Amino acid sequence: MSLYHVTRRIGIDAGHRIRTHGSKCRNLHGHRYEIEATCAAPRPHAGGEQDGMVIDFGFLKDEMLAVIDAACDHGFIAELADDAVLEMLCPAEAAFAAWKAELARAVAADGFALTSATRLGTKLYVIAATPTAEALAAHWFGRLAPRVAARSEGLARLVNLRVWETPNCHADYSA
């Protein structure tokens, strides 16, 4: 089957750490992530606002900004099991166990927790997995895919999400 493919890219800046890494990535550090979403459809739209398009690039950008940029840009992406980092960010007036339990409830319900109620007022995005490029690609794919389908009126589907962690290294997650 022949398919049309379109790709949109955005960039964000975010910190993370890989707590179980045997080398320097176990330290707090940041990246200029570049994220590419590739959508496919058997044909472009015939008529309407997206006439001749698989999905309007502007619509795809809007969804990527809502799911990825708004939640993670200039924030810290943490693993729910990383107690050392979470304790460091826990508000001074909060009991750590209760604060972490709230994060865990959100992760269980939504797949992530987003808060700026942290010790430094820093944006914190918490996921269940270690925040590797591979895990982020899969996580963001899962959040973005239904939005792509909705914005394309069911015509397009997200088929690949690529996360560039450095200019030389990327991870892909595909449908």
Side-chain angles (χ1 to χ4, degrees):
M1 176 201 309
S2 298
L3 292 173
Y4 289 84
H5 290 86
V6 297
T7 300
R8 178 70 166 111
R9 177 186 269 205
I10 65 166
I12 66 166
D13 298 292
H16 78 151
R17 87 173 187 131
I18 310 302
R19 72 180 170 85
T20 59
H21 197 268
S23 187
K24 62 185 177 180
C25 289
R26 74 179 171 275
N27 298 311
L28 300 175
H29 64 284
H31 294 284
R32 173 65 184 174
Y33 290 101
E34 296 289 330
I35 301 101
E36 297 175 358
T38 300
C39 302
R43 59 176 172 74
H45 280 89
E49 186 178 11
Q50 296 182 77
D51 186 38
M53 303 173 195
V54 168
I55 183 172
D56 183 294
F57 284 122
F59 291 176
L60 183 53
K61 176 185 175 184
D62 290 346
E63 298 306 328
M64 293 174 77
L65 291 176
V67 167
I68 302 166
D69 181 89
C72 300
D73 187 44
H74 284 79
F76 193 85
I77 303 169
E79 175 186 10
L80 184 59
D82 195 343
D83 283 350
V85 163
L86 294 179
E87 279 191 79
M88 181 178 66
L89 293 172
C90 179
E93 68 280 359
F96 176 68
W99 184 74
K100 184 180 177 189
E102 282 298 312
L103 296 175
R105 276 191 281 285
V107 170
D110 302 322
F112 68 97
L114 174 62
T115 186
S116 59
T118 62
R119 185 175 306 257
L120 302 173
T122 299
K123 187 188 313 182
L124 175 63
Y125 190 84
V126 181
I127 60 175
T130 302
T132 61
E134 295 88 340
L136 292 173
H139 174 77
W140 289 329
F141 184 101
R143 292 198 58 214
L144 190 60
R147 296 172 78 120
V148 164
R151 284 303 289 267
S152 70
E153 300 165 353
L155 179 67
R157 63 186 180 91
L158 184 63
V159 295
N160 192 70
L161 195 104
R162 174 171 286 175
V163 175
W164 289 90
E165 193 172 83
T166 73
N168 303 317
C169 303
H170 70 266
D172 288 270
Y173 185 85
S174 299

